[in-house]
Amino acid sequence: MKKSLVVLSTAAITLMAVSCSKSSGDSDETTGNWVSRSAFDGKPRGFAATFNIGDVVYVGTGFNYAELNGAIAYRDFWRYQPNIGQWELMAAVPGYGRSGAVGFSASGKGYIGLGNDSLSHAMNDFYQYDPTGNTWTAIAPFPATDGRYQAVAFGIKDTGYVGTGSNPGGSYRDFYKYDANANSWTQIESCPGDKRSGSSAFISADTAGYVVAGANTGSNALNTDFAYYKPADGHWHSLRPIFNKSSDSYDDDYSDIKRTQAAIFVIGSNAYLSTGAQTPGGTPFTKTWLYDIKNDQWTRRTPFEKQARTGAIGFSFSGRGFIGLGSASSSQQLDDIVEFQPNVTEDTND
């Protein structure tokens, strides 16, 4: 997901006991409704990058496998205001066009970097966006000199955090923080569990960053571990795995949370994970899960009602959640934007 940078309302993470009994209402695939919004004004694409600055969403880069002159990675960059459904073309991201890049925001600035170009070369360059002047500035490159793509990133207060991802050498789980004042990267603890690429990330109350799902491109195994990083103590903290592991009933239905190249966004105190595929390069699917951060528990919600896809973007805006763009197949990229209404009963006519 880039992922987008979104905030949960809880100020601290507390794991709470969950009853072994479970009512029929705990998982409901008819709770929530997907509604089409203003389509992206750029060309259809998958694996774009996104971030929020204030009440504005920014989207750019990405890849189209089906251009007339061959597959192409993009540099164009757009500002989106969901409240009026308006897209505006901004200054292009410097460097080569790229796909599978990451984006984050911190202290009123936006950042895009990493990814792979039209020839599938992994990159490690990074750029800072200043919305005041609509300008880009090159910053210190990511420390992994061989580059990577399909990593994750999030911003917490004045610091950016970037890690995981893959390149032709395999997948990774190392993580780094970026200090804008010093224009420098510092390695922090690695993300727990297996190496991963194509994971999803979100933030909670500007105090913790979460990384979930993805796959190890070396073994093609989906990641089932789940953890958050807390800058206040400088450590990762493991959460319940996203498969049926315990003897309790809360995870009996955890059959299809794990996935790769999915989109994620936050509404209120819940994160929503949707789209993606259950094998790297596999057939996209639409299953959607709500994650209750306070109780560290997942429940089903209405599956994504538009075309299944991988490499979509997810973002939040003023308490609303969206998924857009993505790749339905190698020959079909998408340009739609779809809003999820969490408290509305499914309506297939939207």
Side-chain angles (χ1 to χ4, degrees):
M1 157 159 174
K2 172 236 238 327
K3 38 190 191 29
S4 63
L5 302 177
V6 288
V7 181
L8 293 180
S9 62
T10 48
I13 309 305
T14 305
L15 298 182
M16 300 180 66
V18 178
S19 170
C20 292
S21 63
K22 182 163 61 177
S23 70
S24 60
D26 284 345
S27 285
D28 186 353
E29 289 200 348
T30 62
T31 297
N33 190 42
W34 297 93
V35 181
S36 295
R37 299 304 185 200
S38 300
F40 178 59
D41 274 356
K43 291 185 177 181
R45 66 194 65 190
F47 300 94
T50 184
F51 56 76
N52 290 38
I53 299 178
D55 60 356
V56 178
V57 180
Y58 293 89
V59 179
T61 69
F63 203 81
N64 191 319
Y65 298 90
E67 283 280 354
L68 293 177
N69 296 320
I72 186 170
Y74 297 111
R75 299 174 49 231
D76 57 333
F77 183 69
W78 298 76
R79 181 170 66 182
Y80 179 47
Q81 300 178 77
N83 56 332
I84 58 175
Q86 178 177 317
W87 292 90
E88 182 180 0
L89 183 63
M90 310 305 288
V93 180
Y96 294 103
R98 66 192 67 219
S99 167
V102 296
F104 66 88
S105 62
S107 297
K109 303 289 177 65
Y111 298 82
I112 285 181
L114 309 185
N116 55 300
D117 62 18
S118 295
L119 299 176
S120 297
H121 297 140
M123 297 183 286
N124 73 330
D125 53 337
F126 244 97
Y127 301 91
Q128 179 194 78
Y129 179 72
D130 184 348
T132 303
N134 185 30
T135 56
W136 291 93
T137 302
I139 65 170
F142 188 68
T145 57
D146 49 356
R148 63 186 66 179
Y149 39 81
Q150 294 190 35
V152 295
F154 50 85
I156 297 178
K157 296 180 180 177
D158 60 354
T159 303
Y161 298 85
V162 180
T164 72
S166 60
N167 59 30
S171 296
Y172 301 89
R173 64 186 192 93
D174 54 337
F175 240 88
Y176 301 81
K177 65 179 181 180
Y178 176 72
D179 181 344
N181 292 325
N183 187 27
S184 64
W185 296 88
T186 302
Q187 188 165 8
I188 61 174
E189 285 184 352
S190 294
C191 188
D194 199 8
K195 298 175 180 179
R196 65 181 67 216
S197 178
S199 296
S200 300
F202 63 95
I203 63 172
S204 165
D206 213 23
T207 61
Y210 292 69
V211 176
V212 64
N216 185 326
T217 58
S219 64
N220 282 337
L222 291 175
N223 298 102
T224 58
D225 46 304
F226 182 21
Y228 69 90
Y229 180 78
K230 192 172 183 180
D233 63 22
H235 297 295
W236 288 92
H237 302 265
S238 293
L239 297 162
R240 291 168 173 154
I242 54 172
F243 71 103
N244 184 9
K245 181 180 181 179
S246 79
S247 59
D248 294 332
S249 62
Y250 73 86
D251 58 358
D252 287 353
D253 193 34
Y254 284 13
S255 59
D256 52 24
I257 304 174
K258 58 184 181 180
R259 63 192 66 195
T260 186
Q261 301 171 345
I264 200 164
F265 57 83
V266 169
I267 300 175
S269 58
N270 300 314
Y272 295 83
L273 181 72
S274 188
T275 68
Q278 290 199 288
T279 58
T283 302
F285 75 141
T286 59
K287 295 296 185 181
T288 300
W289 287 82
L290 174 157
Y291 176 65
D292 177 350
I293 190 172
K294 184 178 180 180
N295 294 305
D296 186 22
Q297 187 171 357
W298 296 83
T299 53
R300 291 185 183 274
R301 286 300 179 258
T302 301
F304 187 67
E305 295 179 295
K306 309 303 177 181
Q307 195 159 0
R309 64 197 67 195
T310 58
I313 56 171
F315 59 88
S316 298
F317 171 85
S318 297
R320 299 160 64 188
F322 301 80
I323 284 177
L325 313 185
S327 294
S329 68
S330 60
S331 61
Q332 184 183 13
Q333 278 66 57
L334 305 166
D335 62 1
D336 56 342
I337 300 293
V338 187
E339 179 178 358
F340 184 68
Q341 300 172 324
N343 300 315
V344 178
T345 302
E346 177 187 17
D347 182 352
T348 58
N349 294 318
D350 291 327

